[in-house]
Amino acid sequence: YINPTSITIITLSIIMGTIMTMSSSNWLMAWIGLELNMLAILPIISKPKTTRASEATIKYFLTQAIASAMMLLSSTTNAWQTGSWDILELKNKFSTTIMTLSLMMKMGAAPIHFWLPEVLQGTTLQTALLITTWQKLAPISLMYMISNNIQPALLMSAGILSMIVGGLGGINQTQLRKTMAYSSINNLGWTIMIMALSPNLAVMNIFIYMIMTTPIFLMMTSTSTKTLQNLTTTWTTSTATTLSIALLMLSTNGLPPFTGFMPKMLALNELITQKLTTLATLAIMTSLVSLLFYLRITYLIMVLTSPMTT
């Protein structure tokens, strides 16, 4: 049993923290918002009384605390150099690089992605949904605000690295929460890469990803599905739900004619327009790698478990 007052305070703190960060024009207020948000989600992650949950909470806390320290270092250095705490006045190159890395760490993008699959695996499906969607809003909005000052090479290399890690990491997974974590890293890669060229398109990409991820987690929660094994057995009891999960997973990877294909097509179009054909080709190749494990999941669900094959 959880006290309703505690739930209200925690929920309000998570919402307030994110809104505070997204609406502030000052680095200190943005930092306070992120801290409030991070401290409020810790009791939610540690709610299941298991060692996995406690481990996930500590991993989440440590990585977010390090990212927050980097964020403070960056904004303080910038304020020392320029005399301004304004978010849009992040002119110092060192500060910009450190800030970008700290935001990527908060989101769970490669090369500082290591905590995300572990944390998701240690928590409940509802908390995993919260971490992969809501918790990304504040860092993404900050990155959007400073996108004009970030070196494009940094964003693009981090984006491609996230795509590769997200694609290769998910191949051998049987745990669906870890698969979703690598899917999140892969999609963050697309978002970060295109942030350098078209920040508005990056925001659209992450929002479409969040809209598609939410029903996947909700359906997995309703059917108590946590592994591939579970997914193959739920076909007999709730066919429509299992089929929806499979199709939504293909959509998150950007397979046409699903919704997820649109932002990726626009991103590739933007890359080719800017004469970055090599980068576009690399992005397509990494997408094929991640498509491999999505197709495997769909095959397991639709072919091996359908009544026609038995």
Side-chain angles (χ1 to χ4, degrees):
Y1 172 75
I2 302 176
N3 191 333
T5 316
S6 306
I7 294 174
T8 311
I9 292 168
I10 287 169
T11 310
L12 280 175
S13 299
I14 288 173
I15 295 166
M16 278 289 293
T18 302
I19 292 171
M20 208 166 146
T21 302
M22 289 173 80
S23 57
S24 63
S25 60
N26 181 292
W27 279 120
L28 276 178
M29 288 305 288
W31 177 78
I32 291 166
L34 283 167
E35 288 300 291
L36 175 67
N37 177 276
M38 184 257 284
L39 291 170
I41 202 172
L42 294 176
I44 297 178
I45 301 171
S46 63
K47 187 179 167 281
K49 296 291 176 279
T50 59
T51 48
R52 286 300 295 263
S54 307
E55 190 186 318
T57 311
I58 292 163
K59 280 177 181 171
Y60 186 82
F61 171 73
L62 288 174
T63 47
Q64 297 296 317
I66 293 164
S68 294
M70 285 167 70
M71 197 174 162
L72 264 187
L73 168 70
S74 166
S75 50
T76 311
T77 310
N78 188 67
W80 178 39
Q81 293 282 330
T82 63
S84 170
W85 283 95
D86 199 298
I87 288 176
L88 300 173
E89 292 297 314
L90 195 73
K91 298 284 190 281
N92 186 297
K93 261 204 177 131
F94 169 78
S95 299
T96 312
T97 308
I98 296 292
M99 183 62 74
T100 309
L101 288 172
S102 80
L103 292 175
M104 277 158 49
M105 194 171 186
K106 280 200 168 287
M107 286 186 272
I112 326 165
H113 65 280
F114 48 82
W115 62 271
L116 188 63
E118 297 300 319
V119 169
L120 290 202
Q121 189 54 35
T123 58
T124 61
L125 286 164
Q126 293 98 317
T127 314
L129 167 64
L130 192 64
I131 293 168
T132 49
T133 55
W134 183 264
Q135 292 299 95
K136 288 191 177 26
L137 290 177
I140 282 280
S141 60
L142 285 175
M143 193 178 268
Y144 176 81
M145 283 190 257
I146 63 165
S147 59
N148 287 337
N149 302 327
I150 308 171
Q151 292 161 295
L154 175 65
L155 286 176
M156 285 178 187
S157 48
I160 283 290
L161 190 60
S162 294
M163 285 184 211
I164 294 166
V165 166
L168 295 175
I171 287 176
N172 283 331
Q173 296 301 334
T174 54
Q175 296 288 335
L176 289 176
R177 277 168 295 182
K178 277 196 173 179
T179 305
M180 292 307 292
Y182 284 110
S183 159
S184 171
I185 295 165
N186 183 34
N187 270 279
L188 270 176
W190 282 90
T191 305
I192 292 168
M193 181 186 69
I194 209 64
M195 186 75 80
L197 303 173
S198 172
N200 292 337
L201 183 54
V203 169
M204 187 188 79
N205 181 63
I206 201 74
F207 269 106
I208 287 176
Y209 170 71
M210 286 174 187
I211 290 163
M212 290 184 301
T213 306
T214 307
I216 294 177
F217 274 111
L218 293 176
M219 284 188 280
M220 276 161 59
T221 310
S222 68
T223 53
S224 302
T225 306
K226 289 178 183 175
T227 61
L228 272 179
Q229 183 75 45
N230 295 152
L231 207 55
T232 54
T233 53
T234 50
W235 174 269
T236 48
T237 51
S238 44
T239 314
T241 308
T242 320
L243 186 64
S244 301
I245 291 173
L247 294 177
L248 277 164
M249 279 185 168
L250 288 176
S251 182
T252 54
N253 188 59
L255 188 77
F258 301 112
T259 316
F261 173 63
M262 185 187 64
K264 291 192 177 177
M265 185 187 69
L266 292 172
L268 290 170
N269 180 49
E270 187 68 36
L271 286 171
I272 293 161
T273 308
Q274 301 283 349
K275 303 279 189 290
L276 295 163
T277 322
T278 315
L279 202 63
T281 312
L282 213 61
I284 293 166
M285 298 303 279
T286 54
S287 254
L288 286 174
V289 177
S290 53
L291 184 64
L292 183 69
F293 66 82
Y294 284 120
L295 281 173
R296 192 187 63 169
I297 292 169
T298 316
Y299 175 78
L300 278 170
I301 297 167
M302 298 167 103
V303 181
L304 295 184
T305 57
S306 65
M308 285 181 283
T309 57
T310 53

